[in-house]
Amino acid sequence: MDRGNDRLSLTTDAGAADQDVGRGMRAHSATRVLVGPAAAWGLAVGVPLLFLGVFFAWPVVSLVARGFVTDGALDLGGFGEVLGRPRTWRLVGLTLGQATLGTALSVLLGLPLAYTLYRRSFPGRTLLRGLVTVPFVLPTVVVGVAFRTLFVHSGLLGAWGLEESLAGIVVALVFFNVSVVVRTVGGLWERLDPRAEQAAAALGASPWRVLRTVTLPSLGPAIASAASVVFLFCATAFGVVLVLGGVRFGTIETEIWVRTTQFLDLRSASVLSVLQLVVVTLALFVSGRARARREAALSLVSDVSAARPLRWTPADALVLLVSLAIVGGLMVLPLAGLVARSFRGPTGEWGLSNYVALGTTGERNALVVTVWEALGNSVRTALWATLIAVVVGGLVALVVSRRPRAHGARRAVALLDAAFMLPLGVSAVTVGFGFFVTLDRPLGIPFDLRTSGALVPIAQAVVAVPLVVRTVLPVLRAVDPRLREVAAVLGSAPGRVLRTVDVPLAARSLGLAVGFAFAVSLGEFGATSFLARPDAATLPVVIFRLIGRPGAENYGMALAASVVLAALTASVMMLAERLRGDRAGEEL
Amino acid sequence: MRDTAPREAERAEAGPGEAGRVVGEPARPGPAAAQVGPAVGDGAGLEVTSAVVRYGGRRGRAGTTAVDGVSLSVAPGEVVALLGPSGCGKSSLLRAVAGLEPLAGGRVVFGGDDLAGVPVHRRGFGLMFQDGQLFPHRDVSRNVAYGLEAAGVPRAERAARVAELLSDVGLDGYGPRAVATLSGGERQRVALARALAPRPRLLLLDEPLSALDRGLRERLAAELREVLVATRTTAVFVTHDHDEAFAVADRVAVMDRGRLLQVAPPAELWGAPASRRVAEFLGYQAFVPEGLAGTTGRPGADSAAADGPGEREPGGSGDRLVAVGPAGLRVLCGLDNPARATLPGLRWEAAVVATAFRRGRVEVTVDVDLGAGTERLVALSDVGPVAPGALVTPVGPRSGGGLPVTGDTVTVALDPAGCATVPAG
């Protein structure tokens, strides 16, 4: 080839020398390189699987088995007995009823809010969005206490008779879950290409018709996805129901707790756990289907926000008013009520006495530790739980974000994805209870994990892992595989590709995941209430204990402690939200 | 249209210049190297032998075959374009060479070493995608430095090399810019600099200009050629645009449905497409059976057709087709038209469908039967558009400057300079 030779003779000396150096550095044996990644991927899959197996599957399966097996033989007697009780069916009905009502109301109230906060821009929108996000991460116990403060006879809404009522529980559930609807639906709505609506309007459709025939159908998958997740959360609600339901109202979840801790009736609790699993599996199945459809729909939307400034048309004004009413009545009122009430002492005088009392163990020594000590426990446990959840969840997200070439491997990845969503649905009480009955001899090792104190962060991590996966995974999935290919072609070994491409790109979402995991761990109550020893009680456990004890002073302390916990969780979440940038809430 | 050799020589003079070529013809490999299949195996450069790439195959099922037994060689310093319609397997072949797709059959050899089992990052190649794929979390200079960092080049040397490369691609001083602030063309320049920085043994370009708009694409194609030549880079360039392929490559390999149809230098490819399929893809708009062309058409044309087939290149016996290129059909207006005298061969009557002024020429869309049924073709009119001067002082009785209008019947003729012959079938 004449030109090739020509070029070779023209190559400058410096260039040629450089080239040789570069080449030499890459000349390694190929086989060693191929073994490394395989081992690394094995580890990345193995660690989370081992974690999920030992700390989730095993306890839950053992618990389920306990309902079926007596003295080594299959025995369905427990089922007959538990299912024969009218109380069981009343609780199943209540569980489904409050979940259905809570879901319907959350969607109904969430849609106008999503429109206002994601399709319209106006001064103060960021603040309002932040405000709507807060309830989602507030500890359930805190929310229970806040609404109880409103509903009691002396409370602001005392006259409405909501104390220990189904309506009261539903309102509190809606408070929590409206934010799920707003974030999930709003995220899609904001990015929905407005040109489809404009085309419909140009074809003569009225605004109402556009909404009905174009907008809502486009949002359908997101609404379905949000609704199924909300149903799941409502059906497994624990802290709120326990605090607000009193003796008359409960769910399967609270009944498991009552059976175990008050009656030591483990067999009934096991049977109820199985029942709970059935409900949850159904809801998860529906949610998974809806999520898949939403991810398909998401590919159709633009990357640009379609929000327009708020205009003073009657329709916009109405939606804004409704939104403000929802935020004011449903969110600000209970929280403001809680804060205000926390500054009133046992005799009704204003002051800091409740906060001062946080340094004590309560009236008549209701607690083993002071509230401040409990706060320390909470933060310590939550830090450990966050570390575990981010490592495990990060690995899962990494593995699941890859699309392997082989068909079998692709299926395995999809299966792994689904497996790590299970803890989202399986009730925390079931997990805690499962730990309680199995981990006295983990993997046959005679070392009682239950007394070591390590179980609390582990249980909280199990609950937080799905959130971490859902936060990091979309970001990793959005990384164009060709970016990694470019990096590899430029001489980066797989490990370096991970370090220089994936990690920097996912860093922000990882930060958000840390915030999420920390906030959720701080407020975790279901599993923690089973596992925390009295001398290592966390803040939610302490709050619940305080409101269960007689004495106005204890109640006042519970209020102050709730404010402290809420402030801490909300600050962590607000900080984490800043890391998110303008990405919409797609983690659910 | 008879004599290929003189026409090719003529194109070689005129053609490359308009495509912005930097190096002259001497740099082109001779026709001997332009054969399909493995060339002289001197151990240097890229040798692809019977490569097969399949997708979606699993347990027993074959899946789809994207690349079906392609052999291709690229000499050191040579730029070869893989040209073909989308889905023809050209990108898959490129990815297989890079090591991003496994080969289901065949071999990829570089510099005498079989690359089977050599992972992507140890091949020492460069890769550039259609949309650049710059690292969004790195600024321009850190993007360019990426490959150098991977190779462990010391910092000072790295900085010098980055500055040199940015200067090569015309982006002096762009180092600290965030990639999000760059235009499409700038992004591709950065991507090119990044790919070239570690001095790849082979640069693979996957439709690097396709996402850009036309003017920029043409300018960048010329610049790309300039940079590749200046850096003496061996390169394989995938594109679906033949103008782009001709502008950038020393040789063009035409692919269709996973197979390689022809490999040749641009002028040779254009002048002598190996098959009707190749000619179609290059933009030849009609095919007239040579024998049929002689019997139909206007009376008196027979004599012109008589000296036809005999002069064809050796081996061209049997049925051949005249391929009518985008500039292969001329409208003859008025008896005084000079083309009427100079163009040999057949004349046809054609109905004018539309007239358009495009890129400085008048293109007349006509319905015409060249012997294979009525087809809608584009013919060039020699009568140019009205020149600025002519607007002031109209010449002749026809106000359109002699432009045919819809409904006119015009006479068209083949322009041998715009036609080629291909084997039939």
Side-chain angles (χ1 to χ4, degrees):
Chain A
M1 226 110 300
D2 42 8
R3 181 161 136 220
N5 293 337
D6 184 36
R7 284 186 178 187
L8 279 178
S9 63
L10 280 171
T11 307
T12 60
D13 298 347
D18 264 14
Q19 205 155 359
D20 290 340
V21 171
R23 286 295 102 68
M25 292 194 164
R26 290 180 192 172
H28 284 281
S29 99
T31 41
R32 196 165 56 82
V33 175
L34 291 177
V35 172
W41 282 118
L43 207 65
V45 176
V47 167
L49 272 184
L50 189 72
F51 178 82
L52 191 74
V54 173
F55 296 117
F56 180 70
W58 186 40
V60 171
V61 169
S62 314
L63 186 65
V64 170
R66 203 169 268 255
F68 290 95
V69 181
T70 318
D71 300 328
L74 186 68
D75 175 18
L76 297 180
F79 270 84
E81 189 193 319
V82 174
L83 296 183
R85 287 182 208 142
R87 181 181 167 83
T88 305
W89 290 110
R90 201 174 66 86
L91 285 169
V92 169
L94 270 176
T95 303
L96 295 178
Q98 51 102 349
T100 310
L101 280 173
T103 308
L105 272 174
S106 297
V107 171
L108 210 65
L109 298 183
L111 287 182
L113 258 184
Y115 175 84
T116 316
L117 293 179
Y118 288 88
R119 264 327 256 260
R120 289 287 174 265
S121 58
F122 50 90
R125 184 178 70 159
T126 317
L127 182 79
L128 216 54
R129 272 199 204 179
L131 213 68
V132 171
T133 309
V134 167
F136 177 61
V137 291
L138 279 189
T140 54
V141 175
V142 171
V143 176
V145 170
F147 277 96
R148 190 170 150 152
T149 311
L150 274 187
F151 295 160
V152 289
H153 273 305
S154 57
L156 208 55
L157 303 181
W160 294 16
L162 289 171
E163 194 182 6
E164 294 194 9
S165 71
L166 183 63
I169 294 174
V170 169
V171 169
L173 289 175
V174 172
F175 168 88
F176 263 118
N177 291 304
V178 156
S179 64
V180 176
V181 176
V182 171
R183 287 164 74 96
T184 314
V185 178
L188 181 64
W189 208 339
E190 184 176 29
R191 309 244 181 264
L192 206 60
D193 196 334
R195 282 174 298 185
E197 295 167 3
Q198 288 160 3
L203 287 167
S206 66
W208 167 240
R209 196 178 162 77
V210 170
L211 181 74
R212 207 162 39 82
T213 57
V214 178
T215 314
L216 285 182
S218 313
L219 295 177
I223 296 175
S225 162
S228 53
V229 170
V230 170
F231 186 86
L232 201 66
F233 285 165
C234 290
T236 58
F238 175 61
V240 167
V241 182
L242 205 59
V243 174
L244 290 177
V247 284
R248 287 197 300 133
F249 292 96
T251 57
I252 306 177
E253 188 91 354
T254 57
E255 183 69 3
I256 296 170
W257 188 82
V258 169
R259 287 278 139 200
T260 321
T261 57
Q262 324 242 308
F263 300 101
L264 292 176
D265 178 5
L266 296 190
R267 205 156 94 116
S268 296
S270 298
V271 173
L272 287 167
S273 291
V274 175
L275 216 58
Q276 170 86 328
L277 273 176
V278 172
V279 173
V280 159
T281 310
L282 278 177
L284 260 186
F285 177 73
V286 174
S287 134
R289 293 281 296 263
R291 201 177 66 230
R293 278 193 296 152
R294 181 165 59 107
E295 276 173 10
L298 272 176
S299 62
L300 302 174
V301 302
S302 68
D303 238 12
V304 193
S305 167
R308 284 192 293 115
L310 197 68
R311 285 171 313 172
W312 290 108
T313 60
D316 267 15
L318 182 70
V319 174
L320 183 69
L321 269 178
V322 169
S323 303
L324 287 177
I326 296 168
V327 173
L330 191 66
M331 294 169 182
V332 176
L333 187 67
L335 293 180
L338 173 71
V339 174
R341 183 66 182 75
S342 74
F343 286 102
R344 301 186 70 170
T347 51
E349 82 288 353
W350 294 90
L352 290 171
S353 62
N354 290 330
Y355 290 87
V356 173
L358 294 184
T360 71
T361 52
E363 205 176 335
R364 275 171 278 164
N365 279 338
L367 307 171
V368 179
V369 291
T370 69
V371 176
W372 293 125
E373 282 166 349
L375 179 67
N377 290 338
S378 277
V379 171
R380 214 166 25 249
T381 338
L383 282 176
W384 278 112
T386 305
L387 183 71
I388 300 170
V390 168
V391 168
V392 173
L395 285 176
V396 173
L398 186 69
V399 172
V400 171
S401 71
R402 301 301 160 118
R403 295 179 189 84
R405 196 178 304 278
H407 188 79
R410 250 197 324 265
R411 287 190 70 137
V413 161
L415 215 64
L416 192 69
D417 187 12
F420 275 88
M421 281 306 101
L422 276 176
L424 188 68
V426 172
S427 76
V429 169
T430 306
V431 173
F433 184 28
F435 276 25
F436 191 71
V437 297
T438 50
L439 292 181
D440 51 338
R441 282 172 67 89
L443 300 173
I445 306 159
F447 171 72
D448 196 342
L449 262 180
R450 295 180 300 178
T451 55
S452 75
L455 272 191
V456 178
I458 290 173
Q460 293 179 349
V462 168
V463 176
V465 160
L467 277 174
V468 173
V469 175
R470 281 293 141 221
T471 313
V472 180
L473 185 57
V475 180
L476 281 181
R477 277 207 175 133
V479 174
D480 195 316
R482 289 177 302 167
L483 216 52
R484 301 187 187 107
E485 292 173 0
V486 164
V489 171
L490 284 168
S492 284
R496 191 167 184 277
V497 173
L498 191 71
R499 199 154 39 78
T500 56
V501 179
D502 289 290
V503 169
L505 287 176
R508 282 166 74 101
S509 72
L510 215 57
L512 180 62
V514 167
F516 251 131
F518 190 71
V520 166
S521 304
L522 267 185
E524 211 290 321
F525 177 59
T528 310
S529 62
F530 269 95
L531 301 167
R533 287 168 303 160
D535 60 329
T538 62
L539 207 44
V541 173
V542 159
I543 293 170
F544 181 69
R545 205 174 160 76
L546 281 173
I547 56 171
R549 293 292 146 132
E553 195 185 312
N554 285 339
Y555 190 68
M557 273 175 74
L559 295 177
S562 296
V563 170
V564 169
L565 183 54
L568 184 61
T569 329
S571 326
V572 168
M573 214 43 229
M574 292 279 205
L575 262 176
E577 274 290 320
R578 297 184 72 103
L579 286 171
R580 175 202 294 271
D582 56 353
R583 279 191 70 86
E586 286 154 21
E587 58 278 344
L588 297 169
Chain B
M1 81 187 199
R2 324 258 100 103
D3 195 335
T4 339
R7 193 170 66 243
E8 194 190 330
E10 172 196 316
R11 294 205 149 256
E13 279 165 30
E18 69 188 34
R21 197 177 301 288
V22 178
V23 230
E25 283 308 300
R28 292 181 175 284
Q35 302 305 316
V36 180
V40 234
D42 56 353
L46 175 72
E47 291 283 345
V48 178
T49 315
S50 310
V52 179
V53 177
R54 287 204 185 93
Y55 288 111
R58 63 167 169 134
R59 275 176 261 123
R61 288 204 277 128
T64 50
T65 303
V67 178
D68 191 4
V70 168
S71 297
L72 177 74
S73 65
V74 182
E78 192 186 14
V79 178
V80 168
L82 280 176
L83 176 66
S86 52
C88 74
K90 53 192 194 303
S91 289
S92 303
L93 179 58
L94 193 85
R95 291 172 61 83
V97 170
L100 296 168
E101 298 294 339
L103 282 177
R107 293 198 310 156
V108 173
V109 173
F110 194 92
D113 301 325
D114 192 333
L115 294 182
V118 178
V120 183
H121 63 281
R122 300 235 183 267
R123 294 195 175 194
F125 292 171
L127 177 65
M128 188 176 160
F129 281 117
Q130 176 175 344
D131 39 6
Q133 295 297 335
L134 299 180
F135 301 118
H137 54 292
R138 292 174 159 241
D139 64 15
V140 169
S141 58
R142 291 201 61 222
N143 260 283
V144 178
Y146 188 89
L148 302 171
E149 289 170 13
V153 175
R155 182 180 295 271
E157 202 180 314
R158 219 156 62 198
R161 179 81 179 131
V162 168
E164 178 191 336
L165 255 310
L166 285 180
S167 164
D168 280 354
V169 299
L171 292 180
D172 280 303
Y174 273 61
R177 293 264 300 259
V179 293
T181 64
L182 303 180
S183 70
E186 288 165 346
R187 279 160 190 261
Q188 290 308 80
R189 288 165 204 252
V190 174
L192 179 63
R194 181 180 66 181
L196 288 173
R199 295 197 169 82
R201 305 193 287 173
L202 174 69
L203 180 61
L204 304 164
L205 304 117
D206 193 356
E207 307 241 4
L209 308 176
S210 298
L212 307 174
D213 57 52
R214 184 183 184 142
L216 187 60
R217 197 165 67 217
E218 288 177 1
R219 210 169 68 237
L220 272 189
E223 284 179 21
L224 181 60
R225 167 88 195 168
E226 207 172 322
V227 170
L228 291 181
V229 169
T231 56
R232 298 170 194 86
T233 304
T234 312
V236 177
F237 178 96
V238 159
T239 180
H240 63 267
D241 182 321
H242 43 83
D243 287 335
E244 205 174 288
F246 290 176
V248 175
D250 296 312
R251 284 191 299 146
V252 177
V254 182
M255 273 188 81
D256 189 36
R257 285 174 224 162
R259 292 177 178 277
L260 205 53
L261 300 182
Q262 187 177 11
V263 189
E268 189 183 322
L269 185 70
W270 183 258
S275 67
R276 179 175 174 148
R277 183 81 188 113
V278 172
E280 272 172 353
F281 187 69
L282 293 179
Y284 282 88
Q285 51 175 339
F287 296 87
V288 186
E290 228 168 25
L292 201 61
T295 57
T296 55
R298 274 166 40 124
D302 290 357
S303 60
D307 53 66
E311 281 181 37
R312 213 74 56 213
E313 61 223 54
S317 61
D319 292 328
R320 291 188 69 88
L321 297 173
V322 176
V324 182
L329 202 61
R330 295 297 189 98
V331 174
L332 308 178
C333 288
L335 287 169
D336 54 334
N337 190 321
R340 195 173 273 281
T342 54
L343 287 184
L346 308 175
R347 304 285 188 269
W348 289 271
E349 297 293 335
V352 175
V353 178
T355 304
F357 178 55
R358 228 175 127 230
R359 307 191 102 189
R361 299 187 306 193
V362 174
E363 294 183 358
V364 183
T365 307
V366 294
D367 280 337
V368 62
D369 181 0
L370 296 183
T374 302
E375 293 171 279
R376 183 155 293 181
L377 304 176
V378 171
L380 296 184
S381 171
D382 289 316
V383 181
V386 187
L391 275 174
V392 190
T393 49
V395 284
R398 301 182 75 161
S399 57
L403 285 186
V405 295
T406 307
D408 282 358
T409 299
V410 293
T411 306
V412 295
L414 297 185
D415 181 352
C419 295
T421 61
V422 297

